[in-house]
């Protein structure tokens, strides 16, 4: 069995690639990343009991024909990921992210490989209190160019499953929290930990403080991907994956336990005007998955790994 991880050096990838050998000890693990975000350190000290093959390459230019067969799983994490920043580079985000997905959908369809694609709960922009995967199109209201691309990628996968026999699973991940060696700090929990550790004010979007949003512990993210492969969960459908729905207040109160003099500054942002909503993960729970993540533990570990004032 072969497992190919694209975008392997990123926040999620750098954690996942360390979990795969334990779950699939006999697998051949192939990592692809174009180092767009320069996370070289993600390759340091990989588990020594497993051999990895790393390609420093762009997914859009990679010749997948030479490595794919029907005993291969592709985990697609390759993307430009800063949602708030994507207003400034929307064309580049679309070109990179959509085209990566298309190349992989083509290659997987041709070879019989199975594709796990990671979308985002940011595709919802709902007025409902609780939303799930069956919601009507009006509740899919992506709030950034990044999220719009995600939605187009999801449609592409559905189209390929019908017209080209692609076998895929798509996860809509909540915002990730938790430490990894290739961690990034664009997103809420991680950014707040970073700011608090540096003695800066936490920049909270004005409307966001009491709004519920979906979050996913990094350990649960890796466990969800491993679970999908183990259960052969390739039903050409989408699952929400999230450990909890939380407000920014709950997140910042947790950080305050470890950095009591932490301060908040309210700021404006373009992704700001939605009402509070929660995302349901019942569909994935019904497949037998259980979440084990813990916000406080993840925040504690992140803070522990950063320099901060005593
Ligand atoms: N982290 C989150 O909160 C979160 C939440 C929901 C969904 N997701 C999705 O999960 C996936 C992984 O997210 P992440 O947080 O690890 O992102 P990340 O930015 O940390 O990592 C992405 C990696 O992809 C690589 N990459 C980008 N374009 C590439 C290309 N064309 N070819 C090869 N490599 C390329 C980058 O160099 C980087 O190492 C993304 O699709 C992201 O949208 C992430």
């Amino acid at each position: 069995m072969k497992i190919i991880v694209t975008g392997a050096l990123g926040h999620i990838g750098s954690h996942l690639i360390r979990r795969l050998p334990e779950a699939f000890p006999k697998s051949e693990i192939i990592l692809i990343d174009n180092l767009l975000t320069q996370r070289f350190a993600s390759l340091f000290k990989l588990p020594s009991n497993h051999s990895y093959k790393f390609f420093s390459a762009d997914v859009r230019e990679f010749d997948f024909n030479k490595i794919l067969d029907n005993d291969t799983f592709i985990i697609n994490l390759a993307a430009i990921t800063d949602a708030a920043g994507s207003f400034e580079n929307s064309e580049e985000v679309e070109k990179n992210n959509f085209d990566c997905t298309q190349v992989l959908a083509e290659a997987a369809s041709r070879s019989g490989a199975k594709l796990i694609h990671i979308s985002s709960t940011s595709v919802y922009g709902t007025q409902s209190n609780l939303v799930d995967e069956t919601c009507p199109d009006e509740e899919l209201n992506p709030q950034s160019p990044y999220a719009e691309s995600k939605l187009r990628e999801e449609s592409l996968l559905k189209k390929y499953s019908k017209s080209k026999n692609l076998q895929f699973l798509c996860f809509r991940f909540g915002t990730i929290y938790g430490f990894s060696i290739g961690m990034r700090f664009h997103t809420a929990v991680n950014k707040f930990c970073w700011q608090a550790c540096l003695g800066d004010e936490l920049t909270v979007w004005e409307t966001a403080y009491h709004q519920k949003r979906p979050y996913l512990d990094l350990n649960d993210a890796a466990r969800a991907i491993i679970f999908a492969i183990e259960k052969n969960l390739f039903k050409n459908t989408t699952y929400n994956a999230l450990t909890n729905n939380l407000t920014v207040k709950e997140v910042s109160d947790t950080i305050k336990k470890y950095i009591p003099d932490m301060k908040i500054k309210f700021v404006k942002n373009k992704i700001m005007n939605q009402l509070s909503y929660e995302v349901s993960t019942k569909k994935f729970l019904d497949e037998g998955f259980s979440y084990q993540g813990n916000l406080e533990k993840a925040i504690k570990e992140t803070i522990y790994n950063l320099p901060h004032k005593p």
Side-chain angles (χ1 to χ4, degrees), residues 25 66 112 116 120 153 165 187 196 225 245-246 261 293:
K66 62 182 180 195
I116 297 181
S120 160
E153 290 163 29
N165 291 325
T187 50
I225 290 169
N245 290 288
L246 301 163
D261 60 356

Side-chain angles (χ1 to χ4, degrees), residues 6-13 32-39 57-60 76-81 96-97 100 118-121 146 150 172-176 182-184 186-187:
T6 67
L9 306 195
H11 185 195
I12 299 173
I32 302 175
D33 199 293
N34 65 356
L35 287 157
L36 182 73
T37 52
Q38 304 266 314
R39 310 239 187 108
D58 194 301
V59 167
R60 295 166 295 174
N76 180 26
L77 305 173
I80 297 175
T81 52
N96 187 71
N97 299 3
C100 281
I118 309 301
S119 183
S120 160
T121 51
Y146 160 84
K150 288 286 181 206
R172 286 180 184 154
F173 274 5
T175 301
I176 299 285
M183 186 162 184
R184 67 188 171 96
H186 303 124
T187 50

